[in-house]
């Protein structure tokens, strides 16, 4: 069975920065409240010139360059996103923009768990021998769907895109994984369809509409994250035949510094082994883990052979962990 190797990472560079102080001009909040409760100092916001596709393409291009894989060698592109440019899917636009003419491309939606779910999905195609070179992208523009007058949610989110390149290899570096869903908690975090009835003809009524802004029960999501995330990481480590002591880097979905600290504490991972970029990016949903990996790799922190315990969690509710070794 072919193995899966992570051979490149990349992210998009967003220029517009929204600081906590600037946000305080819009809603009744403060840099002190946001920083103390979340660890966030600023987030990036997509400009009107950016699209989900353009950000995802930039991240993928940078990951391919690091991997030294050309676009025409790519067999599959999996785009994890909850904020597509087109509800029919955005991955094909990325395929076209990259010039990945041989690649099949599709979107995958699992909110803030999207990157981990996409990584594991993509790996299955490699393990079965179907594909050799795969680009996995996590990209979200949550600013489109944020209620900028709701201080309980708008301070948390930012826009971004990150990507990794997976390659078939003799040695399998996806060491273990575990994915979970619990629809009974769906109401805790939503970006829900908001229908408006229109009588079409006779007794036929159609539902037209858009999507309501993000709503979240922050306390419930917080409790869920601090209990379920350590558990799912330990299950993935068990499948990898590893223990907590084998974790070189804890790379969690960047939702809240307090969640990162609590999870690291439960797992016994020292603070210097926890990758955190929340202060600069906020919660970028599916993009947060690949951006964190890319920044840590380019900064020379994550090195060849290092074991990363990644974990995503969010709407669905969904959560999952993949234990991967950097090639
Ligand atoms: N500025 C100032 N005050 C605020 C703000 C704000 N931005 N937001 C809330 N407050 C107030 C509240 O009104 C409340 O006031 P009250 O006590 O007078 O009622 C007080 O601050 C405390 O509010 P809490 O909601 O209890 O604050 P908490 O400490 O729980 O922090 C937070 C809220 C940051 C949202 C936290 O619950 C959290 O991080 N939850 C997890 C969110 C998450 O991880 N989401 C991940 C998934 S995202 C995805 O899938 C798309």
């Amino acid at each position: 069975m072919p193995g899966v190797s992570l051979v490149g990472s990349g992210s998009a560079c967003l220029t517009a920065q929204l600081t906590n102080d600037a946000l305080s001009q819009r809603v009744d909040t403060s840099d002190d409240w946001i920083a103390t409760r979340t660890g966030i100092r600023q987030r990036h916001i997509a400009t009107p010139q950016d699209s989900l596709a353009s950000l995802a393409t930039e991240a993928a291009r940078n990951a391919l360059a690091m991997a030294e894989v050309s676009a025409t060698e790519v067999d599959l592109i999996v785009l994890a996103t909850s904020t597509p440019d087109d509800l029919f899917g955005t991955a094909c636009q990325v395929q076209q923009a990259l010039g990945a003419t041989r690649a099949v491309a599709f979107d995958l939606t699992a909110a803030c768990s999207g990157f981990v779910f996409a990584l594991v999905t993509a790996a299955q195609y490699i393990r079965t021998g179907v594909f050799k070179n795969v680009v996995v992208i996590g990209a979200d523009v949550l600013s489109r769907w944020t209620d900028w007058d709701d201080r309980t949610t708008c301070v948390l989110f930012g826009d971004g895109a990150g990507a990794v390149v997976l390659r078939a290899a003799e040695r399998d570096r996806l060491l273990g994984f575990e994915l979970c869903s619990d629809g009974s908690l769906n109401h805790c975090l939503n970006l829900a369809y908001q229908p408006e009835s229109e009588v079409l003809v006779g007794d036929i009524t159609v539902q037209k509409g858009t999507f309501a802004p993000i709503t979240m029960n922050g306390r419930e999501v917080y409790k869920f994250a601090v209990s379920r995330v350590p558990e799912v990481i330990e299950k993935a480590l068990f499948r990898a035949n590893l223990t907590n002591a084998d974790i070189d880097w804890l790379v969690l979905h960047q939702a809240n510094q307090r969640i990162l600290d609590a999870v690291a504490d439960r797992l016994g991972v020292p603070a210097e082994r926890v990758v955190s970029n929340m202060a600069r990016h906020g919660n970028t949903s599916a993009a947060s883990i690949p951006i964190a990996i890319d920044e840590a790799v380019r900064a020379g922190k994550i090195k060849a052979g290092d074991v990363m315990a990644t974990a995503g969690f969010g709407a669905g509710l969904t959560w999952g962990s993949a234990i991967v070794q950097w090639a």
Side-chain angles (χ1 to χ4, degrees):
M1 186 175 79
V4 179
S5 193
L6 264 85
V7 290
S9 66
S11 44
C13 177
L14 283 79
T15 47
Q17 294 172 3
L18 178 63
T19 63
N20 292 347
D21 283 333
L23 200 46
S24 311
Q25 295 167 30
R26 168 81 187 208
V27 285
D28 181 16
T29 189
S30 65
D31 177 50
D32 183 53
W33 192 96
I34 302 170
T36 310
R37 301 278 178 143
T38 71
I40 299 165
R41 291 272 178 192
Q42 62 161 51
R43 68 287 295 139
H44 294 86
I45 302 293
T47 65
Q49 290 73 43
D50 295 324
S51 64
L52 195 280
S54 71
L55 297 175
T57 302
E58 184 182 339
R61 203 172 271 140
N62 290 335
L64 285 167
M66 184 190 287
E68 296 178 355
V69 170
S70 71
T72 50
E73 290 177 277
V74 177
D75 303 301
L76 170 68
I77 298 166
V78 185
L79 171 61
T81 188
S82 307
T83 53
D85 292 334
D86 183 332
L87 278 186
F88 285 149
T90 301
C92 294
Q93 293 178 44
V94 177
Q95 180 242 18
Q96 196 271 336
L98 283 174
T101 44
R102 289 180 47 248
V104 63
F106 59 85
D107 292 17
L108 181 152
T109 301
C112 301
S113 308
F115 176 77
V116 171
F117 279 42
L119 180 74
V120 171
T121 300
Q124 306 315 308
Y125 288 96
I126 292 178
R127 284 180 167 174
T128 51
V130 177
F131 294 133
K132 284 196 167 55
N133 295 309
V134 180
V135 179
V136 178
I137 310 166
D140 267 308
V141 183
L142 283 182
S143 63
R144 290 174 175 174
W145 299 108
T146 300
D147 178 352
W148 290 103
D149 294 315
D150 175 8
R151 69 175 185 174
T152 67
T153 53
C154 77
V155 302
L156 304 172
F157 302 116
D159 301 333
V164 296
V165 177
L166 307 184
R167 196 161 209 185
E170 250 175 56
R171 185 156 163 209
D172 199 355
R173 292 172 194 269
L174 172 60
L175 307 175
F177 69 85
E178 180 82 12
L179 306 178
C180 308
S181 304
D182 183 356
S184 73
L185 295 173
N186 182 263
H187 57 277
C188 290
L189 188 45
N190 302 97
L191 201 176
Y193 173 57
Q194 201 171 38
E196 213 175 274
S197 295
E198 184 185 320
V199 177
L200 197 64
V201 54
D203 60 354
I204 304 293
T205 301
V206 290
Q207 304 296 317
K208 298 176 75 178
T210 175
F211 291 85
I214 297 165
T215 56
M216 179 176 70
N217 182 332
R219 283 186 198 175
E220 283 304 314
V221 176
Y222 189 95
K223 279 195 288 184
F224 146 78
V226 297
S227 69
R228 296 300 192 179
V229 174
E231 193 180 277
V232 82
I233 291 173
E234 286 188 330
K235 282 186 182 163
L237 282 167
F238 177 76
R239 293 190 191 285
N241 220 359
L242 297 175
T243 69
N244 302 3
D246 296 306
I247 299 173
D248 291 311
W249 299 103
L250 191 59
V251 193
L252 303 182
H253 167 50
Q254 309 281 301
N256 184 323
Q257 187 61 44
R258 288 191 292 151
I259 295 177
L260 265 61
D261 294 344
V263 172
D265 198 46
R266 288 209 191 172
L267 293 172
V269 175
E272 61 274 16
R273 293 276 147 196
V274 180
V275 178
S276 172
N277 61 18
M278 205 138 24
R280 287 177 288 113
H281 293 285
N283 176 348
T284 57
S285 193
S288 85
I289 294 174
I291 293 173
I293 291 174
D294 186 48
E295 289 185 350
V297 166
R298 287 177 196 271
K301 288 167 98 180
I302 295 176
K303 295 191 179 70
D306 283 358
V307 172
M308 294 181 264
T310 68
F313 53 92
L317 296 181
T318 53
W319 64 107
S321 172
I323 311 298
V324 284
Q325 194 173 28
W326 190 252

